[in-house]
Amino acid sequence: GRVTVGKLRFRGGLHLTSENPRFGGFSGLGVNADGTFLVAVSDKGQRLSARVVYDAGGNLAGLAEADLGPLADLRGFPLTDRDDAKAEAMSPGVEGEIIVAFEGEHRLWRYLTGRVVPEPMPPPDELMDMPPNSGIKGLALLNDGRLLALTPGIRGRAGAIGWVSDKDGWSVLTFRQAQGFQVTGAATLPDGDALVLERSFGLRGGNAARLTRVATVSIQPGAVLGGDTVAELRPPLSVDNFEGVEARRAADGNTLIYLISDDNFNAEQRTLLMMFELLP
């Protein structure tokens, strides 16, 4: 019966399942401006697309016309089941494309509308020195056209390493992660502020998710980013390994926030898609 947590009001949730063995592991999420279409990318190089269904009250009610297929590499071959297939974050681009951040073999690829083969983007120089499992987890296109990219940092070091782009390339910054949490996603709110998703996750339980609002004016080269906590989700609320986040403005002017979880292809976990309304 609980419908609010922090500054969020619950507006619908789905447990997504499929008989396709490649379904799951979703770490990046995108929703178009009017909320009718969803794209998610996965740890196995898969791209899920679907039409989003709402009930009469505008609450999240289902998905329709879903399609699951592989992302392509630079030669047009599918990334399916390859060591370099781990897509960890995605963001829209200024030309309507999606930008996907891959981990392990750290890189950024642009998938342009109507094209299968992606275009590589110059990554931050320091990204190449990050451990294989500490690539870009959060990627957000800011309203001024800059990209914000965040990693979960390196174990034993304070703060999450990140970058912000401009016309000359990438500049380093850091994000103050909450104790016990790591960055897993990022999005841009309609007013221009960034929304950072962090998770605390254990296979034996104790899962939690945290959303932080970061003022866009603070996102500058060399900055140490912090912000205001929007909400923290913990049991007994429905929580799983949330890694993807998106935000948009609804027709009534409210801001809607979407979360998707990475089930790690583990039968004990779920792929959850949840929608919330951001409260004033």
Side-chain angles (χ1 to χ4, degrees), residues 14 35-38 49-54 60 62-67:
L14 306 171
T36 57
F37 188 74
L38 169 152
S49 61
R51 181 169 58 84
V52 186
V53 179
Y54 302 90
L60 179 65
L63 296 182
E65 302 163 21
D67 180 73

Side-chain angles (χ1 to χ4, degrees), residues 18-260:
S18 171
E19 295 181 358
N20 189 322
R22 292 194 174 98
F23 180 88
F26 297 110
S27 300
L29 178 65
V31 179
N32 68 346
D34 65 4
T36 57
F37 188 74
L38 169 152
V39 174
V41 294
S42 84
D43 297 347
K44 288 185 180 278
Q46 297 290 302
R47 177 186 184 273
L48 171 70
S49 61
R51 181 169 58 84
V52 186
V53 179
Y54 302 90
D55 65 17
N59 300 305
L60 179 65
L63 296 182
E65 302 163 21
D67 180 73
L68 184 71
L71 293 165
D73 67 11
L74 298 180
R75 298 176 298 166
F77 294 125
L79 286 170
T80 306
D81 296 335
R82 285 170 35 178
D83 292 339
D84 60 353
K86 196 172 183 182
E88 283 291 332
M90 65 169 285
S91 168
V94 294
E95 298 177 21
E97 76 274 29
I98 63 170
I99 301 169
V100 179
F102 292 88
E103 192 176 66
E105 186 180 317
H106 301 316
R107 64 198 188 280
L108 291 166
W109 284 354
R110 301 170 69 226
Y111 289 85
L112 297 168
T113 302
R115 298 187 191 177
V116 172
V117 178
E119 293 182 353
M121 291 181 62
D125 291 338
E126 299 83 2
L127 180 62
M128 299 301 102
D129 296 325
M130 298 296 290
N133 63 345
S134 295
I136 293 172
K137 303 283 194 181
L139 189 65
L141 178 69
L142 303 176
N143 286 356
D144 59 8
R146 297 181 299 162
L147 278 172
L148 173 66
L150 297 174
T151 75
I154 298 174
R155 188 177 298 275
R157 296 187 186 179
I161 299 169
W163 301 269
V164 62
S165 71
D166 61 23
K167 60 182 177 60
D168 297 318
W170 295 92
S171 299
V172 176
L173 47 69
T174 56
F175 174 77
R176 289 195 300 265
Q177 297 177 126
Q179 182 68 33
F181 284 78
Q182 287 190 319
V183 170
T184 58
T188 301
L189 293 167
D191 68 358
D193 287 348
L195 187 66
V196 178
L197 171 64
E198 300 170 83
R199 62 98 192 273
S200 175
F201 175 69
L203 291 176
R204 296 185 179 182
N207 301 342
R210 187 172 187 264
L211 287 165
T212 300
R213 183 177 194 143
V214 179
T216 185
V217 296
S218 70
I219 303 174
Q220 301 295 335
V224 179
L225 303 180
D228 298 324
T229 301
V230 172
E232 197 167 294
L233 284 69
R234 293 181 178 274
L237 300 178
S238 294
V239 182
D240 212 289
N241 180 31
F242 287 120
E243 293 200 4
V245 58
E246 181 62 292
R248 71 175 183 93
R249 192 184 304 280
D252 61 6
N254 290 319
T255 295
L256 298 176
I257 295 170
Y258 301 76
L259 299 176
I260 196 167

